[in-house]
Amino acid sequence: MQTRTLGSTGPAVSALGLGAMGLSGEAYGATDRDESIATVHAALDAGVTLIDTGDFYAMGHNELLLAEALRGRNRDSYQLSVKFGQLRGPGPVFGAQDNRPEAVKNFLAYSLTRLGTDHVDVYRPARLDPAVPIEETVGAIQEMVDAGYVRHIGLSEVDAATIRRAHAVHPIADLQIEYSLLSRAVEAEVLPTLQELGIGMTAYGVLGRGLLSGHWSAGRTAGPGDMRGFSPRFAAENVEHNLALVESLRRVAGAKGCTVAQLAIAWVAAQGADIVPLVGARTRERLAEALPAARLELTADDLAEIEEAVPAGSARGDRYPAVFMSGLGVGN
C-alpha cells in the first residue's frame, strides 16, 4: 500500500482510506457485526491506515465497533479521522449542527471514550454551523491539539471562503468532501483553494453510494433504512440515465483490464497527489475489489476516455435529498 500526505501539515496515510459509516446501522443496508470487524481487520492487514468515522454514525455504535476491531493493534499503526457535531434524535432523525466550542470538547470526550483511545488523529466538524463562526470552532479544536487530544484539524463539506477563514486560525490538514465522477462541484473553487493553501482532501462517495460500483441495477430497490431509497440519483426518473453512464465507464474499464469500481476510485486519486479516496466497503469481498485501485495508474489517454464516458455534470439528480442540500458548502 502506497502512502500519501494530507496537505503540507497533515499526517502520512495510506493511499486509500476506509470509510466506516456503512459498517454500522442500516444506512447502506443491513450490517453484520462479525463481517464488519473482519473487514476492518482485512483493511489493516492490507496496509490501510486511515479509518474515517463520525460520532453520530449509528448513534455512536460505529465508534464502539471500531474500538473492538482495533483492540490490540499498535495505536501508531493507524489514523482515526472523526467527524462531530451532527445532532440526532431517536430513529432516523437528523437535527442541526452544533459547533459551539463547549460542544466541540464535549463531543470529543465521548469519542475518545467510545474509541478507547487517548487521541484522535484528525478531528473535524461534520458540517458548518451557521450560528457559530468557523474561527470559534477551529479555535476550540486547536485547544484540544495543544492539550494532546487531537493531532490535526480537518473540515468537512464547506466552501472555499470557509476553508480560508479556518486555515487562518490553525493549519487545516484536509477537507473531507464528496468527490466522484458523478459529483464534481469541488473542481470549480474548492479544489484550487486546497491546492493553493497546501490542504489535502479525503474524498468520500467515490463510488456514488454504489452507483459507480458496477453492481447496482435499475430494478434494484433499497432495503429498509438504506439512505439510497431517498437519494435523488437513485430515483426512478434518474437511475437509468445514471446507470447508462456507468455502462460507458464499464467499457473503458474493460479495455483497461479493471473493474468499474477500481477505475472510478483511481480516477479520484489521479486528481491530486494529496487526495485520498475513502472506500466505504462493508464486506471483505468489496474491500478486496477496491484495494487494487491504489495501484492502478491512469494515463492522459485513460483520463480523456473516462471524461468522455462520464462528462462533468452528466449525472441526474442531486447528491442528497433537498432537505440536506442547504447544509453543504458546494452543490453537486
Side-chain angles (χ1 to χ4, degrees):
M1 176 64 67
Q2 297 176 340
T3 62
R4 292 187 168 196
T5 301
L6 292 179
S8 59
T9 64
V13 301
S14 52
L16 294 181
L18 179 66
M21 179 180 179
L23 299 175
S24 295
E26 296 184 342
Y28 291 107
T31 54
D32 177 273
R33 171 189 165 279
D34 291 341
E35 182 60 27
S36 292
I37 290 175
T39 300
V40 175
H41 290 168
L44 293 168
D45 292 343
V48 173
T49 66
L50 179 63
I51 303 175
D52 180 77
T53 185
D55 61 12
F56 52 94
Y57 288 174
M59 306 306 297
H61 179 276
N62 200 242
E63 291 180 323
L64 293 170
L65 179 82
L66 288 177
E68 184 176 357
L70 294 169
R71 190 170 296 129
R73 299 274 178 164
N74 183 338
R75 182 62 182 86
D76 294 331
S77 67
Y78 60 86
Q79 301 91 24
L80 289 171
S81 163
V82 180
K83 294 181 291 297
F84 69 87
Q86 178 66 67
L87 301 181
R88 296 284 304 269
V93 179
F94 283 83
Q97 178 78 16
D98 188 355
N99 292 350
R100 295 171 300 147
E102 58 267 38
V104 170
K105 299 168 186 178
N106 178 77
F107 290 135
L108 177 60
Y110 277 99
S111 284
L112 291 173
T113 299
R114 284 190 293 257
L115 287 165
T117 185
D118 62 358
H119 72 277
V120 167
D121 297 281
V122 186
Y123 200 52
R124 71 186 83 242
R127 295 289 185 271
L128 186 67
D129 182 347
V132 180
I134 191 63
E135 291 86 352
E136 294 184 11
T137 303
V138 172
I141 306 176
Q142 181 178 2
E143 291 182 28
M144 298 295 94
V145 172
D146 294 340
Y149 297 117
V150 172
R151 295 289 187 264
H152 303 277
I153 301 178
L155 297 173
S156 178
E157 286 289 355
V158 295
D159 61 16
T162 302
I163 295 168
R164 292 184 183 279
R165 289 170 53 195
H167 193 63
V169 176
H170 185 279
I172 300 301
D174 76 300
L175 171 72
Q176 187 171 127
I177 198 162
E178 185 168 356
Y179 191 25
S180 74
L181 281 164
L182 301 180
S183 297
R184 297 176 61 176
V186 298
E187 294 175 346
E189 295 183 1
V190 168
L191 189 53
T193 299
L194 298 179
Q195 294 168 340
E196 174 194 340
L197 298 177
I199 299 173
M201 177 194 291
T202 43
Y204 76 90
V206 292
L207 294 181
R209 296 178 176 79
L211 269 177
L212 291 168
S213 68
H215 302 295
W216 196 272
S217 59
R220 180 176 170 180
T221 57
D226 191 326
M227 62 186 293
R228 290 171 291 195
F230 306 97
S231 171
R233 289 185 178 164
F234 289 83
E237 66 271 20
N238 296 324
V239 70
E240 289 193 13
H241 167 84
N242 292 331
L243 287 175
L245 298 174
V246 177
E247 291 309 308
S248 296
L249 192 64
R250 194 188 301 275
R251 289 190 286 273
V252 180
K256 187 70 176 175
C258 64
T259 70
V260 174
Q262 291 163 0
L263 191 65
I265 296 168
W267 180 88
V268 173
Q271 304 311 303
D274 53 3
I275 296 176
V276 176
L278 296 174
V279 177
R282 299 191 299 124
T283 65
R284 286 168 288 179
E285 180 183 5
R286 289 290 179 259
L287 176 69
E289 180 184 359
L291 288 175
R295 302 188 300 272
L296 186 59
E297 295 184 5
L298 301 180
T299 66
D301 288 343
D302 293 331
L303 294 172
E305 289 186 45
I306 293 169
E307 183 71 28
E308 184 177 354
V310 187
S314 58
R316 284 186 184 171
D318 289 336
R319 57 190 178 103
Y320 280 100
V323 66
F324 294 118
M325 288 298 291
S326 61
L328 304 177
V330 296
N332 289 316

